[in-house]
Amino acid sequence: MVPVLLGRIQTRLFLLAFVGSAVTAIVTPLVGATYGTTFAILAAVAVLGVGWELLYHLLMQFRWEKDWPSLFGLLTAVPEGLLLWALLKRGAVPTVDAAPSLAAYAAHFLAVWIAVWLVANGPMRVPFPRWRFHGGRLI
Amino acid sequence: MGGREHGRGDLTPALLDTPVWSDALVESAGIPVRDAPFVTVGGGIGSFVLVDYLRIAGVPTSDIRVLSNIDQPWQTYQYLTRVSQIPEPERIRSDSSSRPDNIWGFPSYALSEAWRDRTIRPLLHVLGEPIFADYWTPRVGDVFTSMAREAARIGYSRMLDRGVVRMVRRRDKGGYFTILTPPEGTSETRRIAYRSRFAHVAVGYPGLRFLPDLQEFREKYGDYTRVVNAYEPHEHVYEFLKTRPGTVVVRGGGIVASRVLQRLMDDRERHNLQTRIVHIFRTFVTGAHGPHLWARRKGGDGWAYQGFNYPKSVWGGQLKARMRKLDGAERAALYKEMGGTNTPKRRRWQQQMRAGREGGWYEAFQGVVERVEPGVDGTLTSIVTSDLTGESATQKIGSNYIIDCTGLEADIAEHRILADLLSHAGAGRNPLGRLDVERHFEIKGTASGDGALYATGAATLGGYFPGVDTFLGLQVGAQEITDDLARRGFCRRIGPIRSATQWVRWALGRPVKEA
């Protein structure tokens, strides 16, 4: 992907809202968590994500091409997932009093992450043919 | 002028001298007029990609005319890739999701290849690029095959009218006249005029220019076989080297130089040859270069390294967004900052050059060639001034052949259609001296009533969008033009639903409907 800052943020919010919600709806009963918890986690990925995107944008400036290879989009799951887990354990995520089990959290988080990543790397362009030329901006 | 009766339906001095034509003026010359709402001139990949977009937006084939002297849109590209050492099984320097046959770029070439060959290797390769692997790039043969499929799907041949376009002129009541010279024997008159509301010009590279010292040598000594340009057929060089040991001077630091080196080195290895290669860079890059930490490109051993011919973000990211806001000198400065000849750093090429340097048969250095002279025993002598250590030194380099890989391009005015646009249709030049277009690729200064004249491709380099002479760049242009045509009511804007349903048709191989 070759995003601009606004495109990064818009794409993240849009894909989490649509793809992330759909995946969460399916995965939640499978991992034995409550919808209240998983959707709160999804919202936290979105909110924290705005901050993460600022950091990624900064790091991208050191790249001559000003691109963000697909692999980076996949691997950033690691720091983001770890930070959110730490916040959950400390009870720092609003509306979530008790963190889910690590297995449930990891399954949900990774399912959402991989689905969003897959859609962003191709299918997103099917309904939105201008999206890739606008640095990931939808509006 | 051919055997036809001169003057029958031909251009008259009155037409040639009048910048804006009336219907009566064209008719008085006896030139038959054909009406079509949209005409595209060129018929190469630029025309093809735009027509593809328009068809997908719902424009019927009857509303589109493609005026071209080639039958297949990829014909010229095929010729150029073949002579510059990219045979069909070879891979070109283009991103996996830059597909001229698919406006969405999905599935990418890598995904298609994985699906066809039932292997996930291309996908793993794309996943690892550019960190763990070189950029994955498509085979040139697959590019042509997929374009042929799309051409059939959109009814391309039904829109194609053969001939050579002479000029595009504005019409007094709006729109344009495009003058076509049809192939001999196919028309009663020498010319045919196409009257359209909209016209598009995508005529490709205006022409090739030789390095001045090589051009001088060729003209002075009438020798066109020992000094060759990489973009013209030069197979005889490789054949000669198979018969006896020889030295070749390669000039240039771009992708074509890399290709030519690969061919020379492959042949050397395959046929156990003794070829010596002397590589002269005018600009010798020794390492990472650029004005500051946020604008530094990798380089070394003479080359500037870059995956594709522009930094990736020109097609959709930061550089595209930045350039779109710039005009005049500021725009020219940004072009300069990101420009410069470059080539991808491919592992295979690095390996070959390393072997060559170690074996002493490949030598690369900085130099400016003052002139080329005939040497003894049918050899050539290049007089080269090098300036590596601050002191200039002149040396003589003998070789059997010189291959010019600099790929210099001619001025746009050397192309007849573009020259006419500049002199008669109100077109001007951009900060880089090429055709000046708007952000939506309308040629500035050429508006005519409710019509518009557009241009895409190499002729428009230097505009608000930088990557014009690439597959993806042609698609960016086509999208901008289609959206502009939708604003003007010519076609509908492709929204998410239309886009998705049309994609499904593409995936199923169903033809685009007529309306």
Side-chain angles (χ1 to χ4, degrees):
Chain A
M1 221 190 141
V2 281
V4 295
L5 180 59
L6 207 57
R8 285 176 170 279
I9 295 170
Q10 285 184 13
T11 300
R12 173 181 289 246
L13 297 180
F14 178 86
L15 287 177
L16 285 175
F18 286 88
V19 180
S21 295
V23 172
T24 300
I26 297 165
V27 165
T28 305
L30 299 178
V31 300
T34 65
Y35 280 115
T37 302
T38 51
F39 274 95
I41 290 173
L42 188 68
V45 175
V47 173
L48 290 173
V50 176
W52 281 110
E53 295 296 359
L54 288 170
L55 175 68
Y56 301 153
H57 181 73
L58 176 73
L59 293 176
M60 190 176 76
Q61 299 314 307
F62 293 94
R63 295 182 57 76
W64 162 256
E65 309 256 350
K66 305 286 180 280
D67 65 332
W68 198 245
S70 304
L71 188 64
F72 292 8
L74 192 62
L75 294 182
T76 42
V78 178
E80 292 203 29
L82 290 176
L83 176 70
L84 186 52
W85 178 246
L87 293 175
L88 280 166
K89 288 306 263 183
R90 285 164 186 249
V93 177
T95 78
V96 182
D97 298 329
S101 71
L102 180 60
Y105 167 74
H108 170 236
F109 183 87
L110 287 177
V112 167
W113 194 274
I114 290 168
V116 164
W117 177 79
L118 282 175
V119 173
N121 274 286
M124 182 72 180
R125 305 199 288 259
V126 169
F128 304 111
R130 294 168 193 86
W131 171 78
R132 64 169 166 163
F133 299 144
H134 292 174
R137 280 185 300 121
L138 286 155
I139 41 176
Chain B
M1 285 286 146
R4 262 173 290 180
E5 194 185 334
H6 183 70
R8 186 169 160 75
D10 201 354
L11 292 164
T12 60
L15 281 168
L16 289 171
D17 295 340
T18 314
V20 180
W21 294 352
S22 66
D23 293 353
L25 189 64
V26 177
E27 275 160 33
S28 70
I31 300 177
V33 175
R34 289 185 190 166
D35 283 298
F38 183 89
V39 162
T40 174
V41 176
I45 298 177
S47 290
F48 175 78
V49 162
L50 177 56
V51 167
D52 194 32
Y53 250 101
L54 292 176
R55 293 284 292 120
I56 287 167
V59 180
T61 52
S62 55
D63 282 0
I64 300 171
R65 291 289 92 196
V66 179
L67 308 183
S68 177
N69 60 351
I70 50 175
D71 285 319
Q72 315 290 359
W74 55 89
Q75 227 163 294
T76 307
Y77 186 83
Q78 191 171 26
Y79 170 79
L80 289 172
T81 46
R82 196 182 297 148
V83 295
S84 64
Q85 302 308 311
I86 316 175
E88 298 209 350
E90 272 288 323
R91 293 181 184 274
I92 53 169
R93 184 195 196 183
S94 185
D95 186 64
S96 172
S97 47
S98 303
R99 294 188 66 145
D101 69 304
N102 175 315
I103 67 166
W104 306 271
F106 177 76
S108 63
Y109 281 122
L111 188 51
S112 289
E113 196 175 299
W115 179 264
R116 189 193 61 206
D117 299 344
R118 299 285 182 268
T119 164
I120 60 161
R121 286 188 61 180
L123 298 177
L124 290 176
H125 191 140
V126 169
L127 180 64
E129 77 180 25
I131 314 295
F132 300 110
D134 299 335
Y135 277 110
W136 188 93
T137 58
R139 289 200 179 90
V140 71
D142 289 344
V143 173
F144 302 145
T145 311
S146 62
M147 280 178 74
R149 173 187 179 270
E150 184 66 355
R153 207 179 71 84
I154 62 172
Y156 186 80
S157 59
R158 294 201 292 279
M159 297 176 270
L160 180 65
D161 283 354
R162 287 293 306 269
V164 177
V165 170
R166 175 69 178 79
M167 58 181 57
V168 181
R169 292 279 174 98
R170 286 167 292 173
R171 176 172 170 265
D172 62 353
K173 289 182 178 146
Y176 305 87
F177 282 109
T178 303
I179 295 293
L180 179 86
T181 312
E184 199 133 341
T186 60
S187 162
E188 300 251 307
T189 55
R190 182 160 161 73
R191 320 273 185 181
I192 295 170
Y194 285 79
R195 183 167 50 197
S196 66
R197 184 177 162 201
F198 300 105
H200 168 242
V201 177
V203 291
Y205 295 94
L208 206 58
R209 216 177 63 197
F210 285 81
L211 284 165
D213 57 287
L214 297 183
Q215 185 60 33
E216 194 190 309
F217 175 86
R218 280 165 73 127
E219 280 168 10
K220 193 167 170 189
Y221 300 103
D223 186 340
Y224 290 81
T225 56
R226 288 183 297 166
V227 171
V228 295
N229 189 294
Y231 279 109
E232 58 184 8
H234 60 281
E235 197 60 30
H236 64 276
V237 177
Y238 308 111
E239 290 306 318
F240 171 89
L241 293 167
K242 285 181 194 165
T243 62
R244 50 170 281 195
T247 300
V248 180
V249 166
V250 172
R251 293 176 58 182
I255 179 79
V256 175
S258 291
R259 293 280 185 197
V260 165
L261 286 184
Q262 184 192 349
R263 172 71 196 268
L264 291 166
M265 293 179 181
D266 280 351
D267 277 6
R268 198 177 193 282
E269 198 179 306
R270 204 170 296 147
H271 306 289
N272 217 0
L273 309 179
Q274 298 299 310
T275 310
R276 251 191 88 232
I277 303 163
V278 180
H279 188 176
I280 306 174
F281 288 88
R282 196 182 53 185
T283 309
F284 193 92
V285 180
T286 51
H289 53 289
H292 53 84
L293 202 54
W294 282 3
R296 199 150 288 172
R297 177 164 52 194
K298 287 181 183 154
D301 298 316
W303 310 90
Y305 294 123
Q306 190 170 286
F308 303 102
N309 37 3
Y310 295 90
K312 270 197 120 177
S313 62
V314 308
W315 291 283
Q318 265 173 248
L319 268 173
K320 179 170 187 275
R322 240 177 102 193
M323 194 70 89
R324 205 174 163 84
K325 296 187 195 120
L326 300 180
D327 277 295
E330 279 184 317
R331 202 198 301 163
L334 185 56
Y335 268 96
K336 193 155 187 260
E337 185 183 312
M338 69 174 195
T341 312
N342 60 73
T343 200
K345 188 176 186 179
R346 294 195 180 154
R347 285 160 171 82
R348 167 93 182 121
W349 295 347
Q350 292 291 320
Q351 205 183 340
Q352 286 183 318
M353 288 188 291
R354 210 177 306 123
R357 281 191 294 268
E358 283 164 10
W361 49 264
Y362 169 66
E363 189 191 351
F365 59 89
Q366 188 277 332
V368 176
V369 181
E370 303 293 338
R371 63 184 187 278
V372 176
E373 293 171 348
V376 285
D377 300 334
T379 57
L380 303 163
T381 306
S382 302
I383 319 291
V384 187
T385 311
S386 296
D387 191 26
L388 257 187
T389 51
E391 276 177 50
S392 72
T394 302
Q395 54 177 323
K396 289 183 175 182
I397 294 166
S399 66
N400 301 91
Y401 289 96
I402 298 174
I403 306 179
D404 172 9
C405 304
T406 50
L408 289 180
E409 285 166 40
D411 184 76
I412 54 168
E414 287 185 35
H415 194 288
R416 198 156 65 157
I417 298 171
L418 302 177
D420 196 78
L421 289 177
L422 291 170
S423 59
H424 288 91
R429 289 174 185 266
N430 67 29
L432 294 196
R434 310 267 183 113
L435 208 54
D436 201 12
V437 295
E438 297 280 0
R439 290 172 183 83
H440 59 277
F441 290 88
E442 181 179 357
I443 307 173
K444 285 185 181 178
T446 62
S448 176
D450 66 349
L453 175 60
Y454 304 93
T456 50
T460 67
L461 183 73
Y464 296 104
F465 168 70
V468 285
D469 51 343
T470 65
F471 288 167
L472 209 48
L474 291 170
Q475 282 183 321
V476 170
Q479 188 177 81
E480 294 277 1
I481 293 171
T482 307
D483 284 351
D484 190 53
L485 288 169
R487 278 192 290 274
R488 294 167 189 264
F490 175 66
C491 59
R492 58 179 123 173
R493 187 178 153 85
I494 303 174
I497 293 170
R498 170 111 195 145
S499 181
T501 53
Q502 287 297 312
W503 182 83
V504 171
R505 294 193 75 84
W506 181 92
L508 297 173
R510 298 242 175 95
V512 176
K513 286 185 190 158
E514 275 302 336

